[in-house]
């Protein structure tokens, strides 16, 4: 987002990408059949989400680029070493943070408040949703704000299984409303939107119009996580980088592993040094302004490794808080089998690869009234139905048939396929002082760059929240006349996903009002180095239950507006 915004403003931008080049239009395997896929598309150690996953290079393990965990920690760090990074892989779930999410400490005394409020970011949510294309409804619930009229694209109709879940969840007091996903259900208006988003900027309007004209609406062919050659979903490689490059103001250097931010005697950033991974040569580039968008943990690693006599603890670290308050999303899941869904006749199950509807958090009042034993909430993502079967789709039959073969196996497959539902909770983690990353003093990667060491601890709030998730899922499944696939966990440590497993890590360079207690100001500008900015998830003060990508993009747009204004005033650059 930062490269796009700066380029259309006329600035020359050099993008250093730690991974390889990637073009989803040419490289996505989205139309390959399972028989063409290695291991029938099943996942493995080097490609955990299987052959079809758009993450063509990277994962929780990157050969030659380790990280370490402190004793007692089992944190997982996902890295996408490719152009566009994680935007190629994510679930496209685009939920706005609400008013409460920006002021959590004011509300319950825990964690910290953001130095901005919802109204500060709301205009940027609107613009970001228009730019990337997001579908969703216009529900306006407590701490679940709607978008401005005309911003969102129409949501797809709920599928049969989603309507069934809604029918049985509603009497339990659980709302089920249209989800917001960065997937286009209709083509963008390439004549109107560029003028609306970039008034008075002919260059921006031209390149954005061309980009929007190249995008098609989703026709529900394959999962978004496989990459999208028709550009119907949002990934930066199809939506932001093409128009940025079309300005003629952007150069991209792939396979460039940044080692550190360089700083001059005046305390300002002068550029960065990086390893050319193809030649293994050290290189340096100069810049008037440096913007880090390497992901929350990688950005912390770069800053902590930027040590000098001027900055013995790393750049922008006078507060000692770089790497601190690392957060992920609380995750827990449970599935079940619903007899009512057995032997369904063939029916239209078309739709986006993710949910058409979801459950926003609904117990704010009970929580405020002290009726729950944990702080903060979660939303529920769910699915089921008779989508295209793939490898492993019938692995569940043994549990229901105690073994079947031949004709009886085929009958069982027809009976049970599509009779399962699954629920995944995605909840808020409160930042704590026991969850952070630092430089491991003994380990370097294959490029000679010191690696990160992680420390991780869930608080009781997150553990109890995960138990609450599983209890809720079991109640909904039972209300549907079904049976949970397993007993809901009552031990939070067994119910909750591992740190990093949901791949929503944020924090490490929190923003704030005070340089003594934060790394960045509210515009994601370093307190210590005024021409250094961060536009990934590192500035997050808290990690609301809303998936972070949309907020990262909106914050990045706000940051670049501020950056450009500072340059116009000659305050920086």
């Amino acid at each position: 987002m930062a490269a796009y915004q700066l380029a259309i403003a006329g600035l020359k931008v050099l993008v250093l990408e730690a991974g390889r080049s990637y073009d989803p239009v040419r490289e996505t395997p989205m139309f390959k059949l399972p028989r063409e896929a290695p291991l029938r598309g099943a996942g493995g150690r080097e490609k955990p989400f299987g052959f079809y996953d758009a993450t063509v290079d990277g994962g929780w393990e990157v050969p030659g680029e380790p990280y370490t965990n402190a004793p007692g920690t089992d944190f997982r760090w996902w890295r996408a070493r490719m152009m566009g990074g994680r935007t190629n892989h994510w679930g496209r779930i685009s939920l706005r943070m609400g008013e409460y999410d920006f002021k959590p400490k004011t509300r319950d005394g825990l964690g910290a408040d953001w130095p901005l409020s919802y109204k500060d970011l709301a205009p940027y949510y609107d613009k970001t949703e228009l730019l990337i294309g997001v579908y969703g409804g216009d529900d306006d619930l407590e701490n679940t704000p709607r978008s401005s009229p005309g911003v969102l694209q129409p949501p797809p109709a709920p599928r049969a299984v989603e309507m069934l879940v809604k029918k049985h969840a509603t009497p339990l007091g659980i709302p089920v409303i249209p989800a917001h996903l960065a997937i286009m259900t209709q083509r963008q208006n390439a004549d109107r939107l560029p003028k609306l988003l970039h008034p008075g900027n002919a260059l921006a309007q031209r390149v954005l119009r061309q980009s929007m004209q190249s995008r098609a609406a989703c026709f529900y062919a394959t999962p978004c996580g496989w990459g999208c050659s028709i550009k119907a979903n949002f990934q930066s490689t199809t939506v932001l980088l093409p128009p940025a490059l079309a300005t003629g103001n952007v150069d991209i250097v792939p396979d460039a592993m940044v080692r550190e931010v360089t700083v001059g005697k005046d305390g300002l950033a002068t550029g960065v040094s990086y390893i050319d991974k193809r030649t293994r040569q050290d290189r340096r580039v100069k810049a008037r302004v440096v913007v880090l968008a390497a992901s929350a943990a990688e950005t912390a690693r770069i800053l902590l490794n930027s040590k000098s006599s001027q900055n013995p603890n790393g750049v922008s670290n006078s507060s000692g808080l770089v790497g601190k308050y690392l957060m992920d999303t609380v995750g827990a899941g449970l599935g079940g089998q619903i007899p009512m869904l057995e032997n369904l006749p063939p029916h239209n199950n078309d739709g986006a690869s993710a949910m058409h509807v979801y459950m926003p958090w609904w117990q704010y009042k009970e929580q405020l009234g002290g009726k729950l034993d944990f702080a903060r909430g979660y939303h529920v993502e769910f699915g089921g139905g008779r989508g295209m079967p793939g490898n492993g789709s019938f692995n569940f039959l043994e549990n229901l048939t105690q073994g079947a073969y031949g004709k009886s196996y085929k009958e069982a497959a027809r009976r049970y396929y599509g009779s399962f539902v699954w629920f995944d909770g995605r909840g808020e983690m409160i930042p704590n002082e026991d969850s952070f990353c630092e430089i491991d003093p003994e380990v370097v990667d294959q490029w000679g760059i010191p690696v990160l060491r992680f420390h991780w601890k869930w608080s009781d709030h997150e553990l109890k929240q995960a138990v609450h998730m599983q209890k809720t899922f079991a109640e909904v499944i039972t209300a549907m006349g079904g049976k949970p696939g397993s007993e809901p966990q009552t031990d939070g440590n067994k119910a909750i996903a591992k740190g990093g497993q949901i791949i929503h890590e944020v924090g490490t360079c929190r923003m704030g009002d005070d340089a003594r207690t934060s790394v960045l100001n509210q515009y994601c500008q370093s307190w210590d180095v005024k021409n250094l900015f961060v536009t990934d998830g590192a500035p997050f003060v808290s990690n609301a239950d809303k998936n972070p990508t949309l907020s990262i993009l909106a914050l990045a747009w706000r940051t670049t507006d501020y950056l450009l204004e500072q340059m116009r005033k000659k305050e920086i650059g």
Side-chain angles (χ1 to χ4, degrees):
M1 178 64 89
Y4 168 75
Q5 296 295 343
L6 298 176
I8 61 172
L11 269 64
K12 297 296 183 185
V13 181
L14 175 64
V15 177
L16 299 177
E17 166 56 56
R20 73 168 177 85
S21 294
Y22 172 65
D23 180 3
V25 175
R26 292 184 297 103
E27 297 190 59
T28 174
M30 61 188 287
F31 294 121
K32 287 187 178 295
L33 299 173
R35 60 182 167 79
E36 300 176 87
L39 303 175
R40 297 290 193 192
R45 182 173 178 178
E46 294 185 353
K47 206 158 171 52
F49 290 87
F51 166 75
Y52 290 102
D53 181 22
T55 305
V56 294
D57 201 359
W60 279 297
E61 296 182 28
V62 178
E65 298 180 18
Y67 57 91
T68 63
N69 277 313
T73 287
D74 184 12
F75 184 83
R76 314 279 179 90
W77 186 21
W78 180 274
R79 290 157 293 171
R81 294 291 193 232
M82 58 190 294
M83 196 77 71
R86 298 181 188 189
T87 67
N88 299 296
H89 170 89
W90 70 304
R92 275 75 186 177
I93 299 167
S94 302
L95 307 176
R96 295 181 175 208
M97 290 169 58
E99 197 172 331
Y100 300 165
D101 300 323
F102 288 93
K103 304 296 176 187
K105 187 174 183 180
T106 297
R107 185 170 167 78
D108 61 21
L110 299 171
D113 287 342
W114 292 59
L116 66 159
S117 63
Y118 174 72
K119 69 178 183 181
D120 295 315
L121 200 57
Y124 290 94
Y125 276 133
D126 278 349
K127 293 194 292 186
T128 300
E129 290 165 347
L130 284 169
L131 174 65
I132 68 177
V134 175
Y135 76 61
D138 62 355
D139 300 87
D140 191 24
L141 306 183
E142 187 175 12
N143 201 38
T144 302
R146 62 156 61 103
S147 303
S148 295
V151 168
L152 297 181
Q153 298 198 356
R159 288 163 285 212
V161 68
E162 293 168 325
M163 295 174 70
L164 188 66
V165 170
K166 180 175 182 176
K167 176 182 177 181
H168 293 278
T170 302
L172 299 175
I174 304 173
V176 178
I177 64 174
H180 292 205
L181 267 72
I183 300 171
M184 299 201 312
T185 52
Q186 60 186 28
R187 297 194 71 179
Q188 293 169 300
N189 187 327
D191 292 324
R192 184 179 72 87
L193 291 183
K195 296 175 184 175
L196 180 65
L197 291 170
H198 303 301
N201 186 332
L203 172 64
Q205 292 175 17
R206 175 176 62 80
V207 298
L208 184 56
R209 184 183 309 112
Q210 293 169 346
S211 175
M212 287 183 167
Q213 288 172 338
S214 74
R215 302 182 67 190
C218 181
F219 52 81
Y220 307 138
T222 57
C224 292
W226 297 4
C228 188
S229 64
I230 65 168
K231 308 178 183 180
N233 66 31
F234 170 72
Q235 48 196 123
S236 61
T237 37
T238 55
V239 178
L240 295 177
L241 289 177
L245 287 166
T247 64
N249 290 329
V250 174
D251 288 306
I252 301 178
V253 178
D255 297 306
M257 190 75 183
V258 172
R259 178 194 296 275
E260 63 178 305
V261 176
T262 54
V263 176
K265 293 180 180 178
D266 57 2
L268 296 176
T270 57
V272 301
S273 70
Y274 70 93
I275 307 293
D276 182 335
K277 292 166 69 173
R278 293 168 295 191
T279 65
R280 307 186 79 87
Q281 298 289 313
D282 274 295
R283 298 190 180 280
R284 288 176 179 263
V285 290
K286 296 180 180 179
R288 296 162 63 193
V289 176
V290 173
V291 179
L292 294 179
S295 83
E298 193 72 54
T299 286
R301 181 190 181 196
I302 292 169
L303 293 176
L304 291 169
N305 275 324
S306 304
K307 293 181 180 179
S308 65
S309 57
Q310 280 176 280
N311 300 291
N313 297 317
V315 164
S316 193
N317 198 24
S318 63
S319 65
L321 293 178
V322 173
K324 306 297 185 184
Y325 303 116
L326 175 67
M327 296 166 280
D328 191 19
T329 290
V330 178
L334 190 69
Q337 197 267 335
I338 313 296
M340 193 186 308
L341 294 172
E342 293 175 14
N343 286 315
L344 283 182
H347 62 278
N348 189 345
N349 199 70
D350 269 356
S353 58
M355 58 205 186
H356 291 185
V357 293
Y358 83 115
M359 304 170 183
W361 179 238
W362 64 99
Q363 294 194 302
Y364 290 105
K365 289 183 174 56
E366 291 84 348
Q367 211 158 35
L368 200 60
K371 296 179 180 178
L372 299 180
D373 62 356
F374 60 92
R376 316 295 169 82
Y378 59 87
H379 73 260
V380 184
E381 304 167 5
F382 65 91
R386 305 187 67 159
M388 178 69 75
N391 181 45
S393 291
F394 298 100
N395 288 349
F396 56 83
L397 285 180
E398 186 176 348
N399 293 332
L400 295 167
T401 65
Q402 285 74 53
Y405 182 77
K407 182 180 178 181
S408 62
Y409 179 85
K410 293 180 180 177
E411 290 174 347
R414 293 189 181 97
R415 172 183 174 183
Y416 291 112
Y417 190 59
S419 70
F420 291 82
V421 294
W422 52 262
F423 298 86
D424 280 318
R426 295 289 180 261
E428 176 165 354
M429 176 183 179
I430 301 168
N432 68 69
E433 295 186 351
D434 295 315
S435 297
F436 62 95
C437 57
E438 62 183 353
I439 297 299
D440 189 310
E442 298 179 352
V443 182
V444 298
D445 65 12
Q446 64 170 316
W447 317 111
I449 303 174
V451 309
L452 284 180
R453 178 169 61 191
F454 290 94
H455 301 253
W456 189 260
K457 184 178 181 181
W458 296 112
S459 75
D460 282 347
H461 292 289
E462 287 88 39
L463 298 177
K464 291 175 179 176
Q465 186 187 106
V467 170
H468 191 275
M469 289 179 185
Q470 294 223 347
K471 177 174 174 286
T472 299
F473 304 156
E475 288 174 353
V476 176
I477 292 168
T478 302
M480 295 173 71
K483 181 181 179 182
S486 60
E487 286 295 318
Q489 288 286 348
T490 56
D491 181 343
N493 287 296
K494 294 179 180 178
I496 200 167
K498 296 181 184 299
Q501 195 170 351
I502 307 301
I503 319 179
H504 286 174
E505 71 267 17
V506 295
T508 73
C509 298
R510 65 161 46 166
M511 62 166 75
D513 285 324
D514 189 334
R516 295 168 299 178
T517 57
S518 58
V519 178
L520 310 167
N521 66 17
Q522 66 162 305
Y523 298 103
C524 303
Q525 179 186 32
S526 166
W527 287 113
D528 299 345
V529 185
K530 66 179 183 180
N531 64 339
L532 174 64
F533 294 80
V534 178
T535 59
D536 50 31
F540 275 43
V541 180
S542 61
N543 192 16
D545 68 286
K546 285 80 171 182
N547 310 48
T549 302
L550 181 70
S551 295
I552 291 173
L553 291 169
L555 281 169
W557 193 328
R558 183 173 184 265
T559 293
T560 51
D561 274 0
Y562 174 79
L563 189 162
L564 291 165
E565 181 63 22
Q566 291 293 295
M567 293 189 78
R568 277 192 284 268
K569 293 179 178 176
K570 301 189 183 302
E571 294 290 333
I572 58 173

